[in-house]
Amino acid sequence: IWLPPVNVQVVSISTWNIERGTEKFGTEKYDAVILLHAAESLRSPRSAFREIYRILKANGRAMCIFTSLEASKNTIHKSQISKMWSDYDDAQRLWVVGSFFHFSAGAPAAVMDESNTQLVQEVWGAGWRSLRGFEYLSSDGTNVVADAFASLTKSNNEDGTPLFIVQADKAAPAIFSAGPTAALDTELWIASAMEEDDKRLAATRILNLMRSEITWSIEDQTRFAISCGMALRSIYQVLQPMSRVIATPLLAQLASNLAPKWNLKSTAQINALKEGLGLIAPRDLFWKPLGTLTAKLSVDDKLWLLADLIPFFDENRFNTNQQGVPIALLPIVPDILPATIDYLGPTVFPEFPDAKDTVDCQLLAVELIARDYLPDVIQATTTEQVQQAANRFIAWFPTLSKDELRQALDDRRSYRDIASEKAELAAIDPEAAAKKADDLRRALQVEAMLNEIARRSNQSIRTST
């Protein structure tokens, strides 16, 4: 039996409240939230538990109270209970409600990065801590009043224990001194547009990128992790609709490539990303013709191109024309890209009559632009400086030998292998390594949860006897 401390704010929420919006409850306002007889009929449990997380203060407690299998057969709310819930026994109900907590505010980076398996079992799901499930009338034998109340209630109830509780405490945000991994975790707890796989894959890439900067101090790494975590939340608000058509690893790749250069205050970057993904109508001056010139590229390569171009749409760093296109990118569509493709086709791929319409020709062209033109033009502030950089590039790339151009194409094709080596993952690419680590983490969490349920059940049996 849990009694809240004195002078705390406690709110009890019904299914009706939680699924029709909790804005009236404010943000981080309550010390405890009690969800009473709602787990049985929630239509969107993940969203509901995220709302509970939002209105709770740090270290606040959430308690989900629901009926046992036997008691639910006679409840007045029987008509509201879902068929799936009706088929669950008590242990399964405890496990399912525990999963509502775990998957509503979990960020796996720190857990996945932790080699201490005991800590993995104790952490459970990052955003929630001290997750546990038990009978409402269970007791540890230390409270005489509680024991007497439990014994009397059970003896007067045909169905035995009528209620179960699953509870957890909202984790306090990581302090700065906790380090970069904990900081990234904290930022991703409330990333409502990110699924667990999104968090896992994107966090893995960000952490690998951070660790590749060997001259950075822990403070530098922590600031970078916080910045990227905030950026990932913003980026995935745009990417979320694309999860239906683009594979999760590819979206994570794009998001983690954009995050270090993402400006949270730039609406132009958000709109440019939407245009590049086809979520809104593309501008005729840039995105539409660019799509035509790179039509043969794979989805993967188009996303890499987006990652190279989107940072230039930060209006706080780069000058734009009246249509909102960065001046640094203006020569690409009418001049640089067509000239590069027209030259590479017969020079590097003479065996193909229509070489400029092949994947390799378009891929090599965008690789040269991303590798050599964009770094040269990044400091340009006037159209004259941009045109000078464009002229230098157009005059330079024909001086490369066929072997050098072929090597550039091979390097572009092998970027996955190079990334794996830099990540010190040898024969395992970052996505596979992250998936393997996360599978182990989830297995440990499920095992720990089942062990806890079994322990509580055995304790209850011993108390009853």
Side-chain angles (χ1 to χ4, degrees):
I1 299 174
W2 178 73
L3 297 177
V6 179
N7 298 325
V8 300
Q9 294 289 325
V10 181
V11 62
S12 179
I13 302 178
S14 66
T15 308
W16 192 93
N17 288 130
I18 199 69
E19 294 198 329
R20 286 164 177 78
T22 56
E23 290 80 6
K24 66 179 181 180
F25 294 115
T27 299
E28 296 187 351
K29 182 179 178 181
Y30 294 95
D31 299 277
V33 174
I34 300 173
L35 193 62
L36 184 61
H37 297 303
E40 299 94 324
S41 54
L42 286 174
R43 291 171 296 179
S44 180
R46 192 179 203 184
S47 298
F49 277 74
R50 279 177 172 167
E51 281 298 285
I52 293 173
Y53 187 89
R54 182 182 64 80
I55 67 177
L56 265 178
K57 295 178 182 178
N59 297 314
R61 176 164 296 179
M63 305 178 72
C64 182
I65 303 173
F66 53 93
T67 52
S68 65
L69 175 61
E70 287 300 319
S72 63
K73 294 178 181 178
N74 303 314
T75 179
I76 60 174
H77 304 291
K78 185 176 180 180
S79 61
Q80 300 174 12
I81 298 176
S82 66
K83 174 65 169 62
M84 181 178 66
W85 183 267
S86 300
D87 292 336
Y88 290 150
D89 61 27
D90 294 339
Q92 289 171 321
R93 292 182 179 193
L94 284 165
W95 190 90
V96 168
V97 176
S99 72
F100 292 167
F101 278 97
H102 175 68
F103 291 107
S104 62
V111 181
M112 181 192 69
D113 191 46
E114 179 56 61
S115 59
N116 186 328
T117 56
Q118 182 61 35
L119 180 60
V120 173
Q121 292 180 351
E122 292 174 355
V123 167
W124 295 85
W128 294 107
R129 302 292 165 86
S130 303
L131 178 64
R132 55 192 289 252
F134 50 92
E135 294 180 7
Y136 176 65
L137 298 175
S138 63
S139 171
D140 59 6
T142 61
N143 189 318
V144 177
V145 176
D147 289 346
F149 176 76
S151 177
L152 178 63
T153 305
K154 286 184 177 181
S155 64
N156 292 329
N157 193 312
E158 298 178 345
D159 301 324
T161 300
L163 297 174
F164 285 89
I165 298 176
V166 176
Q167 69 181 38
D169 299 333
K170 179 177 178 178
I175 59 176
F176 189 84
S177 60
T181 309
L184 183 56
D185 250 351
T186 300
E187 291 299 330
L188 297 185
W189 291 348
I190 54 175
S192 59
M194 298 178 72
E195 299 296 329
E196 294 307 305
D197 283 346
D198 298 324
K199 295 176 184 178
R200 170 173 49 81
L201 293 170
T204 300
R205 288 180 173 276
I206 293 297
L207 292 174
N208 286 335
L209 177 61
M210 177 190 70
R211 288 165 184 154
S212 69
E213 299 291 341
I214 59 176
T215 62
W216 284 5
S217 66
I218 294 296
E219 290 76 16
D220 292 334
Q221 293 180 353
T222 302
R223 281 188 285 269
F224 178 78
I226 293 172
S227 173
C228 287
M230 296 172 66
L232 287 173
R233 298 206 318 261
S234 173
I235 293 166
Y236 268 94
Q237 291 290 341
V238 179
L239 297 185
Q240 190 176 33
M242 302 304 297
S243 62
R244 300 182 181 89
V245 293
I246 299 178
T248 298
L250 296 184
L251 289 180
Q253 168 190 290
L254 173 61
S256 56
N257 286 341
L258 285 174
K261 305 171 185 176
W262 190 257
N263 184 347
L264 294 172
K265 298 180 180 179
S266 174
T267 56
Q269 274 191 323
I270 292 175
N271 290 331
L273 182 55
K274 290 180 178 179
E275 286 184 76
L277 292 169
L279 293 172
I280 59 176
R283 277 170 276 193
D284 291 337
L285 185 64
F286 185 73
W287 291 110
K288 198 170 183 179
L290 180 65
T292 301
L293 289 168
T294 58
K296 297 296 183 179
L297 295 184
S298 66
V299 172
D300 192 351
D301 290 319
K302 288 180 179 179
L303 294 180
W304 275 94
L305 179 59
L306 271 181
D308 291 325
L309 299 177
I310 294 299
F312 284 89
F313 283 85
D314 180 358
E315 66 271 32
N316 298 305
R317 290 186 58 202
F318 301 101
N319 294 331
T320 63
N321 66 1
Q322 293 181 343
Q323 288 74 36
V325 178
I327 60 173
L329 305 184
L330 286 175
I332 291 179
V333 168
D335 302 320
I336 297 177
L337 188 54
T340 308
I341 291 175
D342 287 343
Y343 173 80
L344 295 176
T347 303
V348 184
F349 311 102
E351 64 273 24
F352 300 108
D354 299 318
K356 67 179 184 178
D357 293 326
T358 63
V359 175
D360 285 346
C361 184
Q362 294 180 8
L363 180 60
L364 179 55
V366 298
E367 169 65 10
L368 292 175
I369 292 171
R371 191 190 72 178
D372 299 292
Y373 169 70
L374 293 181
D376 187 33
V377 79
I378 198 168
Q379 300 295 334
T381 58
T382 66
T383 54
E384 291 77 13
Q385 292 173 337
V386 169
Q387 193 57 53
Q388 289 171 5
N391 292 339
R392 285 196 299 271
F393 177 81
I394 292 174
W396 164 79
F397 75 79
T399 65
L400 297 175
S401 67
K402 184 176 179 179
D403 288 340
E404 289 174 318
L405 292 170
R406 284 282 190 182
Q407 184 61 50
L409 180 60
D410 291 340
D411 290 343
R412 179 63 183 83
R413 288 170 174 167
S414 63
Y415 74 89
R416 294 183 184 86
D417 297 332
I418 295 172
S420 295
E421 292 171 6
K422 287 184 177 179
E424 297 181 354
L425 292 171
I428 305 176
D429 62 73
E431 287 81 4
K435 183 67 167 63
K436 181 178 179 181
D438 196 54
D439 286 344
L440 174 60
R441 176 181 64 84
R442 293 189 183 191
L444 287 168
Q445 290 168 342
V446 171
E447 180 182 359
M449 185 179 290
L450 293 176
N451 288 340
E452 177 71 5
I453 292 170
R455 187 179 71 81
R456 294 285 174 183
S457 299
N458 291 336
Q459 185 183 60
S460 175
I461 292 172
R462 289 195 299 270
T463 303
S464 299
T465 55

